[in-house]
């Protein structure tokens, strides 16, 4: 498919993936490619299978048909605990953080290091401290338990845990859902900073039109179980497909676009 | 890996989180010269990530602390960027590393928590009593449907397991007793042994322990989940009292169910004892039953089922209380469910022991 020019090394390839839960068809022939170094967003209405696709890519779920290649390996391989040789190359931030509630924030962030490396406790502590500092959490938060943190801080903590192994790929599931606009914008900036600093490729599932405009290099819009459109936000916003237009040209979509373009909304 | 060469520290190979361990150990044990200039030569580094950057930065900082003039040379540009990333966040990082739990504050807060828990427990008992008083003048206000449902779930559905267990315990007691009684040729006293111990103590206790495990834990988990999902708050916004809606029906159901279960357990337990008596000690069913009539006073039975409603109140209150104590996450649900079972069994046995002491004073 020649949807929107993507050049560079493909890091994720989804080929003709179909998913069915009983009689319900979630995806049909979904294909897409994520290239190294981009921020790739998966967008679409509620229940269009965005999160399902993400779960398939990271190997938590098997597609009914089709193949998914992640960092050169079949994502089905991820279902075997392989000691992390592939798992340590990507980080996942779940929608609600999925921080282990019985551990402090610092212990949470340290989990992948403890499990996958043989570094000394002191060095693990240093790396954890660096990652917590990178996501901009205050010093006293490292000793707190997840239940003592606010929603925004929990997201940051989950992000720190996702990047602790310096992954090549970072998956974000609804990173800004439920955050207030200021904190959400701060989070977007943080993702961009980290992407630049650590050379990450970011794949995110989001509804947030503001973040789509702000940070996504390319966006795929899912709907009715298939790919409705794929490309930069500008090209999608100019799309003629009625379903894509509906998604981006609701009142909020226009406001987000206006916001992004600094007030000059291209007339159409 | 890394080694010193005069005033130059050569860094070679892979400095990633998987491989930097040995280099880190070397650098940690390194004797830095006091003062003078020191050159870190990084052109031999083939792979580098934040782990490596942290190790190298630590070494640089340590050498600087000893008064050395440190220069880092030869790093590839993206590696140098990682180094500057780490040094840009160095102070924040050290603040995190320095953050230590404050022992005194922790002790104080644990004392405060303990007092808090006691007060909340009292608060809960008070609230439940008030709800009970509020409802009792107009029984129509009680959620009968929910109470009946609870009666079915916690009473009727517990019949098979309670019956089986007390039957087996009757069998066990009779077996153990049979050995001893046969030595003295006092076979018929098996009736006293089985009858009194089961009716008075064991059947109510087994019933209570089973209910604490089956129902008390379920109450805690159910109410706790409702709390986590904010269903309790939703109820309050309708002006409904969760205590009245959730606690009272369950308590009522258990108060009715547990004495009935005890009677049922009595019957099956004694039946189990009776089987073994006829099998091992040649005490026929008729002999057993006629001896039962004269040997086992009604008061043993009454004391047994008289304790059951109190056990029921303890179990229901502890289970529901622990449910309400859940805050925050889902892991709390599991923790408090466990606490509810342990605590209610503990309190039931304490209460039972107190009863034994008091009844003994009164010569009952």
């Amino acid at each position: 498919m020649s949807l929107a020019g993507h050049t560079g090394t493909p890091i994720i390839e989804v080929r003709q993936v179909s998913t069915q839960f009983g009689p319900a068809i979630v995806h049909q022939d979904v294909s897409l490619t994520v290239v190294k170094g981009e921020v790739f967003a998966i967008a679409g209405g509620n229940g269009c299978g965005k999160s399902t696709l993400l779960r398939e890519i990271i190997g938590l779920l098997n597609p009914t048909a089709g193949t998914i290649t992640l960092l050169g390996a079949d994502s089905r391989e991820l279902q075997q605990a392989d000691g992390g040789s592939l798992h340590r190359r990507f980080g996942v931030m779940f929608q609600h953080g999925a921080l282990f509630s019985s551990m402090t924030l610092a212990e949470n962030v340290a989990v992948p290091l403890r499990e996958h490396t043989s570094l000394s406790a002191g060095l693990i502590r240093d790396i954890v401290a660096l990652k917590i500092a990178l996501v901009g959490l205050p010093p006293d938060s490292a000793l707190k338990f997840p239940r003592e943190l606010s929603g925004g801080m929990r997201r940051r903590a989950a992000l720190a845990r996702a990047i602790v192994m310096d992954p090549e790929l970072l998956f974000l599931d609804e990173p800004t859902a439920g955050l207030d606009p200021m904190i959400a914008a701060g989070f977007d900036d943080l993702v961009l900073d980290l992407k630049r600093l650590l050379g990450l490729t970011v794949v995110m599932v989001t509804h947030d039109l503001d973040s789509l405009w702000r940070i996504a290099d390319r966006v795929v819009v899912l709907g009715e179980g298939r790919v409705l459109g794929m490309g930069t936000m500008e090209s999608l916003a100019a799309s003629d497909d009625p379903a894509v237009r509906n998604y981006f040209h609701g009142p909020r979509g226009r406001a987000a676009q206006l916001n992004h373009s600094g007030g000059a909304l291209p007339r159409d | 890996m890394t080694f010193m060469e005069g005033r130059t520290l050569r860094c070679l190979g892979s400095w990633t989180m998987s491989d930097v361990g040995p280099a880190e150990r070397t650098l940690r044990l390194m004797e830095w010269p006091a003062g003078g200039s020191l050159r870190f030569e990084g052109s031999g580094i083939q792979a580098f990530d934040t782990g490596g950057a942290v190790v190298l930065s630590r070494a640089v900082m340590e050498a600087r602390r000893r008064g050395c003039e440190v220069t880092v040379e030869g790093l590839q540009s993206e590696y140098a960027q990682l180094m500057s990333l780490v040094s840009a966040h160095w102070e924040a990082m050290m603040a995190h590393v320095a953050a230590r739990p404050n022992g005194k504050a922790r002790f104080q807060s644990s004392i405060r928590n303990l007092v808090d828990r006691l007060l909340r427990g009292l608060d809960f008992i008070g609230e439940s009593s008030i709800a009970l008083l509020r409802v009792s003048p107009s029984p129509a206000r009680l959620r009968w449907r929910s109470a009946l449902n609870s009666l079915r779930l916690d009473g009727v559905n517990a019949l098979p397991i309670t019956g089986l267990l007390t039957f087996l315990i009757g069998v066990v007691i009779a077996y153990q007793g049979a050995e001893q009684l046969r030595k003295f040729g006092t076979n018929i006293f098996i009736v006293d042994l089985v009858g009194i111990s089961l009716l008075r103590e064991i059947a109510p206790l087994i019933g209570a322990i089973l209910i604490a495990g089956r129902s008390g834990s379920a109450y805690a988990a159910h109410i706790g989940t409702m709390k986590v999902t904010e269903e309790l708050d939703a109820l309050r916004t309708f002006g409904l009292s969760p205590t009245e809606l959730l606690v009272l029906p369950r308590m009522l159901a258990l108060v009715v169910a547990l004495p009935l279960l005890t009677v049922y357990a009595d019957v099956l337990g004694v039946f189990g004892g009776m089987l073994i008596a006829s099998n091992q000690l040649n005490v026929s069913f008729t002999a057993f039953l006629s001896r039962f009539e004269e040997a086992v006073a009604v008061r043993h039975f009454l004391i047994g089922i008289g304790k059951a409603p109190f056990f029921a109140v303890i179990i229901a209150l502890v289970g529901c209380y622990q449910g309400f104590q859940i805050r925050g996450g889902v892991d709390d649900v599991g923790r408090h469910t466990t606490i509810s079972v342990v605590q209610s069994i503990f309190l039931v046995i304490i209460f039972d022991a107190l009863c034994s002491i008091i009844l003994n004073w009164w010569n009952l």
Side-chain angles (χ1 to χ4, degrees), chain B residues 3 35 41 47 53 79 89 99 137 141 166 201 207 209 241 258 265-266 270 287 291-293 298 309 333 341 362:
Chain B
F3 58 89
E41 171 57 49
Y79 300 168
H89 289 87
R141 269 184 70 185
T166 38
E201 292 294 340
I209 289 170
S241 145
L258 196 50
D266 285 346
V270 170
R291 170 72 191 166
F292 198 89
E293 249 185 283
V298 179
V333 176
V341 176
W362 293 343

Side-chain angles (χ1 to χ4, degrees), chain A residues 3 22 75 77 93 98 162 171 190 227 232 240 256:
Chain A
L3 282 163
S75 73
E77 286 171 25
M93 192 197 108
F171 293 96
L190 176 62
V227 174
T232 61
D240 295 329

Side-chain angles (χ1 to χ4, degrees), chain A residues 1 29 136 158 170 250:
Chain A
M1 275 197 282
D29 278 343
L170 175 64

Side-chain angles (χ1 to χ4, degrees), chain B residues 304-320:
Chain B
I305 60 165
K307 286 190 287 198
F310 293 99
F311 292 169
V313 170
I314 291 173
I315 294 165
L317 280 183
V318 170
C320 295

Side-chain angles (χ1 to χ4, degrees), chain A residues 88 101-102 113 117 119-120 123 125-127 129-134 137-139 141-143 147 164-166 197-198, chain B residues 17-18 20-21 24 28 49-51 54-55 58 82 85-86 89 92-97 99-101 327-328 331-332:
Chain A
R88 62 202 289 176
S101 40
S102 54
L113 285 172
T117 70
L119 300 176
S120 68
L123 181 56
R125 198 190 54 204
D126 286 353
I127 295 176
L130 172 69
K131 297 298 158 83
I132 297 177
L134 274 182
L137 284 167
S141 51
L143 298 169
R147 61 173 170 274
V164 72
M165 295 291 293
D166 278 9
L197 293 169
L198 303 174
Chain B
M17 287 182 212
S18 345
V20 79
E24 192 252 346
R28 189 156 25 100
D49 65 6
T50 49
V54 166
V55 172
R58 257 230 179 266
L82 274 181
L85 171 75
V86 173
H89 289 87
M93 213 177 120
M94 287 304 112
H96 283 291
V97 171
R100 285 272 176 282
R327 52 204 65 218
D331 73 316
D332 247 18

